[in-house]
Amino acid sequence: MTLDGLEAKLREHYPKATSASRKAKVNLVRYADDFIITGSSKELLERDIKPLVETFLQERGLELSQEKTHITHIEEGFDFLGQHVRSYHGKIIIKPSSKNVKAFLDKIRKVIKVNAQATTGHLIVQLNPIIRGWATYHRHVASKQTFTSVDDAIYYALWRWIRRRHPHKSRWWMKEKYFHVIGNRKWVFGGDVEWKDGKRHRVYLFYAHSVPIRRHTKVKGAANPYDPTWEPYFETRLGVSMAGTLKGRRQLLFLWKEQDGICPVCDQKITTLTGWDNHHVVWRVDGGSNRADNRVLMHPTCHRQVHSQRLTVAKPRSTSSV
């Protein structure tokens, strides 16, 4: 909250309306207390921008960290929020940073080392959330090659873990015991674990490269969540984000079953061919919540009709249990 107002301060000195400001290319990118300020030249950043930021912070009892503050050219690149941003022949490419990858692999190796005597299934249960969470965070950037490299590093760490457990066994024996064939994949690390139901289940290691790369679509600059005309836009974004996660797909399936797969506007079936949109019964701009009890699924054409004609839609109830 202390940094709120920094962008406005920059705009006072470099308003977008002037040609000089557009040439200066001064822009702020901020997440919490981490921020980037761009400029057209190193001299501009050192002579004008940095003193301006330092003055802004001093008025609030803060100062720039000399260790973390760097002025660098985009072709040399920089790290921001665990990712490396760099221009390659005029094209901006963002990848997981080397420091972030090293910290991630150090954490994985530590878990493997601590669980030297654990069962295979128990080790996998501990590793999978770490791998899945890290890969999901980086799935919006150019990470595919890094995912493959990370999987290779984890494989070698697990192989060392196996060899320490069975120093007198052959490689073939270790491969047959710990690695399984799943479809076209012949080296899948897996083991058994006992769940709460008392039964033993087979679990397999999650591989980072199995996470698909999904490009993030930025919110339109003019979009206003408090403007009714933008309600369909944010509802469409909600549907896209839900379809991209397991939790979101479960919610979509719950809503679809709740209304028997029927669109509440035209009373026709909602299928993968017709497509669907999320709709808030009580619009968000009117104080409606994002909970499932305030959402229904409907055809995209029906959704546009509801918003264009300001129709009221009641939440249908499933009749399958009657």
Side-chain angles (χ1 to χ4, degrees):
M1 293 175 62
T2 308
L3 292 178
D4 289 349
L6 178 57
E7 184 173 11
K9 192 72 174 180
L10 291 172
R11 285 286 162 258
E12 289 179 7
H13 292 77
Y14 299 93
K16 289 185 176 181
T18 64
S19 59
S21 297
R22 288 194 291 269
K23 291 181 180 179
K25 299 179 180 179
V26 176
N27 294 287
L28 172 71
V29 180
R30 177 185 160 209
Y31 182 84
D33 60 341
D34 293 322
F35 61 87
I36 305 166
I37 299 179
T38 64
S40 59
S41 66
K42 183 178 181 180
E43 291 73 20
L44 172 68
L45 294 172
E46 289 180 339
R47 184 186 67 249
D48 299 335
I49 303 301
K50 188 175 180 181
L52 181 65
V53 174
E54 288 175 338
T55 302
F56 176 86
L57 294 177
Q58 286 174 359
E59 294 173 351
R60 291 156 177 77
L62 301 174
E63 62 181 16
L64 279 177
S65 171
Q66 298 302 319
E67 296 179 355
K68 296 182 179 180
T69 303
H70 303 283
I71 298 178
T72 181
H73 198 278
I74 188 61
E75 292 184 355
E76 298 177 4
F78 59 90
D79 291 348
F80 184 62
L81 302 178
Q83 296 174 342
H84 186 71
V85 183
R86 184 178 176 183
S87 175
Y88 295 85
H89 305 291
K91 183 178 181 180
I92 301 295
I93 296 180
I94 306 176
K95 301 178 181 179
S97 68
S98 299
K99 291 182 179 179
N100 183 269
V101 173
K102 183 180 182 301
F104 166 70
L105 290 177
D106 287 344
K107 183 176 182 179
I108 291 293
R109 294 184 181 110
K110 183 178 180 181
V111 172
I112 294 175
K113 184 177 180 180
V114 169
N115 289 274
Q117 304 300 324
T119 63
T120 307
H122 182 72
L123 176 62
I124 292 174
V125 168
Q126 294 190 66
L127 290 177
N128 279 355
I130 302 174
I131 301 172
R132 183 181 287 107
W134 179 84
T136 301
Y137 177 80
H138 292 290
R139 67 177 176 171
H140 298 299
V141 298
S143 306
K144 207 61 179 180
Q145 186 175 354
T146 304
F147 286 172
T148 302
S149 300
V150 161
D151 286 336
D152 290 342
I154 296 175
Y155 163 79
Y156 287 116
L158 290 172
W159 188 256
R160 290 191 295 270
W161 177 81
I162 296 171
R163 292 185 64 182
R164 284 195 297 267
R165 292 166 68 93
H166 308 285
H168 304 296
K169 296 292 185 179
S170 67
R171 291 174 179 268
W172 175 258
W173 183 91
M174 289 185 283
K175 187 264 182 186
E176 289 295 311
K177 179 175 176 62
Y178 289 97
F179 294 93
H180 308 271
V181 177
I182 305 295
N184 296 326
R185 301 163 61 191
K186 298 182 180 179
W187 288 78
V188 182
F189 188 70
D192 295 332
V193 63
E194 185 174 330
W195 287 2
K196 294 181 180 180
D197 58 6
K199 298 180 181 180
R200 298 189 67 82
H201 298 266
R202 177 64 55 85
V203 292
Y204 298 100
L205 183 71
F206 183 84
Y207 290 93
H209 75 265
S210 65
V211 175
I213 301 299
R214 298 183 184 276
R215 300 304 179 202
H216 175 69
T217 303
K218 295 189 295 185
V219 177
K220 293 182 178 179
N224 184 355
Y226 301 102
D227 186 347
T229 59
W230 286 98
E231 183 88 3
Y233 171 77
F234 284 103
E235 288 178 332
T236 301
R237 285 187 63 90
L238 173 64
V240 172
S241 63
M242 289 177 63
T245 64
L246 179 60
K247 181 179 179 181
R249 290 193 292 271
R250 287 175 176 171
Q251 291 180 352
L252 288 174
L253 181 60
F254 170 79
L255 292 173
W256 188 83
K257 288 183 176 180
E258 187 181 41
Q259 57 195 68
D260 291 331
I262 301 298
C263 175
V265 179
C266 64
D267 292 329
Q268 300 297 315
K269 202 74 173 179
I270 298 175
T271 67
T272 55
L273 293 177
T274 63
W276 59 83
D277 278 353
N278 265 274
H279 175 72
H280 293 88
V281 177
V282 179
W283 290 16
R284 296 277 296 185
V285 296
D286 296 329
S289 70
N290 210 20
R291 293 159 51 93
D293 56 10
N294 189 46
R295 298 206 315 270
V296 294
L297 301 180
M298 59 180 64
H299 296 126
T301 53
C302 297
H303 192 210
R304 288 192 292 270
Q305 180 183 359
V306 167
H307 280 278
S308 64
Q309 300 181 16
R310 300 283 296 188
L311 300 178
T312 300
V313 178
K315 188 172 180 64
R317 295 299 177 185
S318 174
T319 58
S320 57
S321 59
V322 177

